[in-house]
Amino acid sequence: MTHPDELSAYMIFSRSDWAALRASTSLTLSDADLAALRGLNGPITSAEVSDVYLPLTRLLNLHFSAARNLMQVKAEFLGRPARRSPYIVALAGSVGVGKSTFARVLCALLAGWADHPRVELVTTDGFLHPNAVLEERGLMRRKGFPESYDLPRMLRFLAAAKAGEAELELPVYSHLIGDIVPSEHQVIRQPDILVFEGLNVLLARGTAPVVVSDFFDFSIYLDADEADIQSRYVERFLRLQPTAFRNPASYFHHYRDLPPGDAREVADRLWREHHRANLRENILPTRTRADVVLRKRSDHSIGEVWLREV
């Protein structure tokens, strides 16, 4: 549900009106590229990339250039060389709304611009506490909620990235085993643009002196009606049951042989008892903080774009 006061902060574009803002921006991805970037049930067409993603990358390119110019002006004022600092783009939204596919495609398109060829994607999954820690703290049923993340580590990473540190090492989360992989790390080396994707990245915590969103230059919220997100989540669960869940290492291996009706019931229950609560309590309330809101239709395509103007 959308409150009128929320909409008053945004210019609302239909898909066709937003597509017109693409101007001369070229599509640099082939159909084969898009096929490789798609998620399990993340349909994306070249038409959607042209209509929605390309105007967005043009806008981000303009913001990036303006930020770099401002950085240079400040350096000249201070009489010192401008430091290399990534332009950080946040991507927020619920489980099941398609953030992962969106982030991969956005990164690939942004890397096609000569102004910022080095683009990195970091997800907040890597900042989840390991399952052993969550078990010890009684938080396994709250995984994905704000308290399940190592917030100090997340803030240290973002501060170091903004300070232009040459190399940063991050934990890696495996969706197969549902846990942090101790032997794996992601290395970030001074990207031009850093896309930071996660459920609660736009959340502001009460009176905390520093919050994650303080480090963002631009923020995007991927949105859809709750019923559509639930349907997408259940559909993904049912598609994974006869495939990934068959792997003995899978966190959901115990669901592999459920009859279709029981599997759907489990997926619905997981949504209602866990993901829906997180969406309502922590994720959806942050939508008003985004610079751009992308509204999905029931078929998962993006049909409307909100651009913040105040």
Side-chain angles (χ1 to χ4, degrees):
M1 182 176 291
T2 305
H3 194 279
D5 290 343
E6 182 179 5
L7 286 177
S8 67
Y10 292 92
M11 291 183 283
I12 311 298
F13 294 86
S14 67
R15 176 159 162 165
S16 59
D17 287 341
W18 179 255
L21 298 174
R22 167 187 174 180
S24 59
T25 308
S26 300
L27 175 56
T28 55
L29 299 179
S30 67
D31 288 341
D33 293 328
L34 289 177
L37 292 166
R38 284 188 184 99
L40 180 66
N41 62 339
I44 182 170
T45 64
S46 57
E48 175 149 88
V49 172
S50 296
D51 290 349
V52 180
Y53 288 74
L54 292 187
L56 180 60
T57 60
R58 178 179 173 232
L59 177 63
L60 286 169
N61 174 259
L62 292 170
H63 275 260
F64 172 88
S65 299
R68 279 290 165 92
N69 289 337
L70 183 58
M71 192 181 301
Q72 185 63 45
V73 167
K74 185 177 181 180
E76 290 176 7
F77 171 73
L78 295 172
R80 65 189 188 194
R83 69 184 183 187
R84 292 197 61 83
S85 180
Y87 187 84
I88 302 183
V89 179
L91 175 61
S94 171
V95 164
V97 81
K99 293 190 307 304
S100 297
T101 298
F102 184 91
R104 288 193 298 270
V105 176
L106 181 65
C107 286
L109 288 167
L110 288 172
W113 288 78
D115 299 341
H116 36 72
R118 296 190 308 279
V119 181
E120 294 276 7
L121 171 62
V122 171
T123 73
T124 57
D125 292 336
F127 295 96
L128 283 163
H129 287 295
N131 287 352
V133 174
L134 295 176
E135 291 278 10
E136 180 183 332
R137 298 181 182 179
L139 291 174
M140 277 300 289
R141 290 183 175 274
R142 300 284 289 178
K143 187 184 250 189
F145 284 68
E147 60 270 27
S148 66
Y149 293 91
D150 187 342
L151 182 59
R153 185 170 192 171
M154 196 184 298
L155 290 169
R156 288 195 302 271
F157 163 72
L158 289 167
K162 267 301 182 187
E165 288 200 17
E167 186 171 291
L168 295 168
E169 196 173 85
L170 301 175
V172 170
Y173 182 86
S174 166
H175 286 275
L176 175 65
I177 66 171
D179 203 354
I180 299 294
V181 184
S183 59
E184 293 185 24
H185 294 89
Q186 179 183 5
V187 179
I188 304 298
R189 297 183 176 91
Q190 289 188 319
D192 300 309
I193 295 179
L194 175 67
V195 176
F196 196 71
E197 178 252 304
L199 301 171
N200 302 297
V201 292
L202 299 182
L203 186 65
R205 287 171 170 258
T207 59
V210 181
V211 296
V212 169
S213 59
D214 289 340
F215 297 96
F216 301 152
D217 297 290
F218 196 93
S219 55
I220 302 165
Y221 187 96
L222 197 55
D223 193 30
D225 289 343
E226 185 182 294
D228 292 333
I229 302 174
Q230 178 179 359
S231 174
R232 182 187 175 94
Y233 174 81
V234 172
E235 178 185 350
R236 184 174 66 182
F237 185 96
L238 296 177
R239 288 193 182 188
L240 288 170
Q241 190 198 11
T243 55
F245 292 2
R246 291 283 171 189
N247 189 326
S250 172
Y251 183 71
F252 292 104
H253 185 61
H254 54 291
Y255 292 134
R256 67 193 182 282
D257 293 323
L258 285 177
D262 292 346
R264 180 173 293 277
E265 185 177 323
V266 167
D268 277 325
R269 176 173 54 79
L270 289 173
W271 169 261
R272 290 193 311 272
E273 295 180 358
H274 189 86
H275 302 298
R276 184 176 67 182
N278 200 12
L279 172 62
R280 292 179 177 181
E281 294 171 19
N282 302 304
I283 303 168
L284 185 57
T286 69
R287 181 174 62 181
T288 57
R289 308 190 72 222
D291 294 303
V292 165
V293 177
L294 302 170
R295 286 278 299 161
K296 287 195 165 189
R297 305 166 174 144
S298 58
D299 65 356
H300 307 314
S301 66
I302 294 169
E304 191 174 74
V305 179
W306 306 355
L307 176 64
R308 178 174 285 282
E309 61 177 341
V310 295

